[in-house]
Amino acid sequence: QVQLVESGGGLVQPGWALRLSCAFSGSIFRTYAMGWYRQAPGKQRELVASITRSGITDYADSVKGRFTISRDNAKNTVFLQMNSLKSEATARYYCNSRPAYDYWGQGTQVTVSS
């Protein structure tokens, strides 16, 4: 069974930073690429960033230069460093493979507010 456990979210002020973590297990650990997705109220879930096992990254235009995705293959963990946070980043963040496996964890809430 696939397990996806996100953590690290919270409430921060604009301009501050957060580091999200995702521990995954099950058949998903063999996938070529992992990604971070987010979903805000009333909006569709969107891909924020992805990374292959060899370290090739891809980012949504809205976060380029501010977010950094990384992974520790030995520990089956994916990270998302989020710097210079804006209110637009407020959403629940999820990790999954890219393309996404048809299962989603609980996610972790990120709220950017002054």
Side-chain angles (χ1 to χ4, degrees), residues 44-65:
Q44 197 168 10
R45 182 181 283 113
E46 64 174 342
L47 178 67
V48 176
S50 64
I51 184 170
T52 68
R53 290 186 64 85
S54 61
I56 300 173
T57 59
D58 190 27
Y59 298 92
D61 289 340
S62 60
V63 306
K64 286 182 178 178

Side-chain angles (χ1 to χ4, degrees), residues 22-39:
C22 171
F24 59 93
S25 62
S27 60
I28 197 171
F29 89 97
R30 294 187 178 90
T31 57
Y32 179 66
M34 293 294 293
W36 281 97
Y37 302 76
R38 68 185 178 190
Q39 186 169 32

Side-chain angles (χ1 to χ4, degrees), residues 5-113:
V5 182
E6 301 92 344
S7 62
L11 173 64
V12 297
Q13 297 180 27
W16 289 23
L18 281 174
R19 182 176 171 85
L20 307 184
S21 298
C22 171
F24 59 93
S25 62
S27 60
I28 197 171
F29 89 97
R30 294 187 178 90
T31 57
Y32 179 66
M34 293 294 293
W36 281 97
Y37 302 76
R38 68 185 178 190
Q39 186 169 32
K43 295 185 177 181
Q44 197 168 10
R45 182 181 283 113
E46 64 174 342
L47 178 67
V48 176
S50 64
I51 184 170
T52 68
R53 290 186 64 85
S54 61
I56 300 173
T57 59
D58 190 27
Y59 298 92
D61 289 340
S62 60
V63 306
K64 286 182 178 178
R66 299 184 298 108
F67 287 16
T68 302
I69 187 171
S70 61
R71 65 189 295 172
D72 185 333
N73 293 330
K75 296 182 178 180
N76 292 336
T77 305
V78 185
F79 306 94
L80 185 67
Q81 179 67 43
M82 305 186 295
N83 297 329
S84 302
L85 283 165
K86 303 175 181 179
S87 60
E88 299 95 291
T90 296
R92 181 163 286 272
Y93 286 70
Y94 304 84
C95 65
N96 211 320
S97 59
R98 182 184 183 187
Y101 182 81
D102 194 17
Y103 171 85
W104 298 89
Q106 295 280 50
T108 184
Q109 179 68 35
V110 172
T111 301
V112 184
S113 177

